[in-house]
Amino acid sequence: MKHSLPALPYQLDELAPKMSKETLEYHYGKHLQTYIDNLNKLIAGTPFEEKSLQQLVLEAEGPVFNNAAQTWNHTFFFDTLTPHQPEMPQPLADALARDFGSVEAFKEKFTQAATTLFGSGWTWLASDKDGHLSIVSEPNAGNPLKKGLKPLLVIDVWEHAYYIDYRNRRAAYIEAFWGLVNWAKVGARL
């Protein structure tokens, strides 16, 4: 299965000023494309060649896992953003309140986890098989699928996600991220 760059559900300039067109040109257009290109080269002629991206994340190790997971993670991240943020669905708000105390408490804990993740990686909101929500920070290409969890929301905290717009101010990038989350998509994943 040849993997390709997925279409974005918005134009490159629509997330500005929270996320600039230039950031998306590099982050989506170059970084993600490189992971996809590397993945296609790595799996060519191997048993992984016909596997889906999710199967690769679950089954592969080493460079194949790294490039597959980075492709999966970035695709999930970009698909969760929107220039026209909808209201949070009530079932999602209720689940966040149940497991974190309130929506605001969830945002504070998620922000803290993303801000303090050392180095590069991802912070996720995930659900277990019983529907319990948790915040999971993963270094590098980590993905909660590997732990049997269902991803609902993610923020990319690799520097390439924010350096053009925010330089080294990760906290400012995370604050802007909250204004771009497509809560309808997060709620539908619940």
Side-chain angles (χ1 to χ4, degrees):
M1 174 178 298
K2 184 162 174 63
H3 302 278
S4 58
L5 190 66
L8 292 174
Y10 43 81
Q11 298 300 311
L12 291 175
D13 60 351
E14 284 189 283
L15 301 182
K18 293 176 176 72
M19 192 175 293
S20 69
K21 179 179 180 181
E22 184 181 9
T23 286
L24 285 169
E25 287 171 341
Y26 279 92
H27 192 191
Y28 163 79
K30 298 199 182 303
H31 285 278
L32 176 52
Q33 185 65 65
T34 298
Y35 291 126
I36 292 166
D37 292 344
N38 288 341
L39 177 62
N40 286 327
K41 288 176 194 166
L42 288 165
I43 63 174
T46 74
F48 290 124
E49 192 169 30
E50 297 305 316
K51 303 248 180 189
S52 72
L53 199 51
Q54 186 160 324
Q55 287 173 308
L56 293 172
V57 170
L58 291 170
E59 299 171 17
E61 299 294 333
V64 172
F65 167 77
N66 288 333
N67 285 278
Q70 287 290 58
T71 298
W72 197 101
N73 296 356
H74 278 90
T75 299
F76 192 88
F77 171 71
F78 289 124
D79 191 55
T80 305
L81 304 177
T82 182
H84 309 291
Q85 189 174 56
E87 291 291 318
M88 183 181 289
Q90 196 59 49
L92 175 59
D94 292 345
L96 292 171
R98 178 195 69 216
D99 292 336
F100 298 101
S102 69
V103 171
E104 283 309 310
F106 155 70
K107 286 182 176 180
E108 288 171 16
K109 290 174 184 172
F110 189 95
T111 295
Q112 178 69 16
T115 302
T116 59
L117 177 63
F118 181 77
S120 298
W122 304 83
T123 296
W124 303 83
L125 172 65
S127 173
D128 67 16
K129 60 181 174 44
D130 298 321
H132 179 265
L133 304 181
S134 61
I135 296 168
V136 180
S137 286
E138 293 282 348
N140 303 318
N143 185 303
L145 289 170
K146 295 283 268 189
K147 297 177 177 174
L149 299 173
K150 179 181 181 182
L152 305 176
L153 172 71
V154 70
I155 186 168
D156 182 346
V157 291
W158 284 68
E159 274 194 340
H160 66 239
Y162 58 89
Y163 202 79
I164 291 171
D165 296 330
Y166 298 94
R167 300 299 181 244
N168 64 334
R169 295 178 302 121
R170 184 188 284 190
Y173 157 71
I174 296 166
E175 183 178 330
F177 164 81
W178 290 118
L180 296 173
V181 174
N182 187 332
W183 292 115
K185 283 190 178 177
V186 178
R189 294 170 181 153
L190 190 61

